[in-house]
Amino acid sequence: MDAAFFARDAQVVARDLLGKVLRHRVGDLWLAARIIETEAYYREEKGSHSSLGETPSRRAMFMGAGHIYMYYARGGDSLNVSVGDAGLGDAVLVKSALPWVDAVSDADSLAAMQRNNPTPAGHPRPPERLCAGQTLLCKALGLKVPDWNARRFDPTRFFIDDVGLRPARIVQTTRLGIPAGRDEHLAYRFVDLDGARHCTRNPLRRGQVEGRDYRWIEPQEPSP
């Protein structure tokens, strides 16, 4: 995806990233995961890191669209991308994904992801749970803050691939982990329906009510 893809509104980019594939080269292998959950963040709302102002660690959010912003979340690495106009401080968090296997990223790549991110007992984690959260995703793909924060994607090492997948339906709901009083009510989280059971938290779990807790979005035409 080129810079023009990211130089748009955060919610538009967050929706359009669903179905795209993250590819990270580690040695001779391309580790890969299909994005199923994203969150949009704007500088003017309190849930965003950039609302606290620009610092060296948050500098990537204020750089041109398409810069990688990584930070530590609960002791793990977390992947974001700057969006919109340079200096806005808007970004999209890649929240969760599913392992992707194809001719480029084969079964050996999946096995490497399982070695990167075993269960607490040291066993291979089921594929559908490998990337079920922002830190699990980065651990499985081998993405580290020092390697990628404030950098651009590199087609020879780490990039986002459009493999032609479009979600059949998208669920829009509130973001996760936003403290009370920091705009926790904003519905800036987007989930591919096909991956809802495997994302950070299923937005369609028992007790959730359409119109109150979530709503449906029909996917738009493919974006450039």
Side-chain angles (χ1 to χ4, degrees), residues 4-138:
F5 175 89
F6 297 103
R8 300 178 297 155
D9 179 80
Q11 292 184 72
V12 173
V13 176
R15 293 194 300 264
D16 282 357
L17 279 174
L18 298 176
K20 304 298 189 293
V21 172
L22 295 162
R23 295 193 194 268
H24 183 218
R25 183 168 62 83
V26 178
D28 295 330
L29 298 176
W30 280 100
L31 312 188
R34 173 173 63 89
I35 300 170
I36 60 171
E37 180 186 12
T38 58
E39 292 181 347
Y41 288 87
Y42 298 92
R43 182 181 184 180
E44 65 268 18
E45 44 97 359
K46 298 175 183 178
S48 175
H49 288 184
S50 59
S51 69
L52 302 174
E54 183 175 354
T55 64
S57 63
R58 293 192 286 266
R59 180 170 59 93
M61 297 187 77
F62 297 88
M63 298 170 74
H67 276 83
I68 298 165
Y69 169 49
M70 291 194 70
Y71 65 90
Y72 296 107
R74 303 175 187 87
D77 305 86
S78 182
L79 173 66
N80 306 254
V81 187
S82 64
V83 300
D85 296 333
L88 282 183
D90 299 345
V92 171
L93 166 64
V94 181
K95 193 77 174 172
S96 66
L98 286 170
W100 178 255
V101 176
D102 61 8
V104 177
S105 305
D106 58 16
D108 289 338
S109 298
L110 174 58
M113 292 172 64
Q114 289 178 304
R115 289 193 296 272
N116 286 345
N117 189 19
T119 67
H123 303 303
R125 196 181 295 267
E128 66 273 12
R129 302 307 302 167
L130 262 181
C131 308
Q134 63 203 65
T135 59
L136 293 176
L137 166 66
C138 289

Side-chain angles (χ1 to χ4, degrees), residues 108-187:
D108 289 338
S109 298
L110 174 58
M113 292 172 64
Q114 289 178 304
R115 289 193 296 272
N116 286 345
N117 189 19
T119 67
H123 303 303
R125 196 181 295 267
E128 66 273 12
R129 302 307 302 167
L130 262 181
C131 308
Q134 63 203 65
T135 59
L136 293 176
L137 166 66
C138 289
K139 188 173 182 180
L141 290 177
L143 297 170
K144 300 292 186 181
V145 171
D147 296 336
W148 289 105
N149 186 43
R151 298 179 182 273
R152 284 197 178 273
F153 292 100
D154 178 348
T156 69
R157 297 177 60 208
F158 176 39
F159 67 101
I160 300 178
D161 195 4
D162 186 348
V163 296
L165 290 179
R166 300 290 182 271
R169 296 189 81 182
I170 296 172
V171 186
Q172 181 175 2
T173 184
T174 52
R175 297 170 301 191
L176 301 175
I178 305 297
R182 299 196 66 84
D183 292 326
E184 70 279 7
H185 65 286
L186 296 174

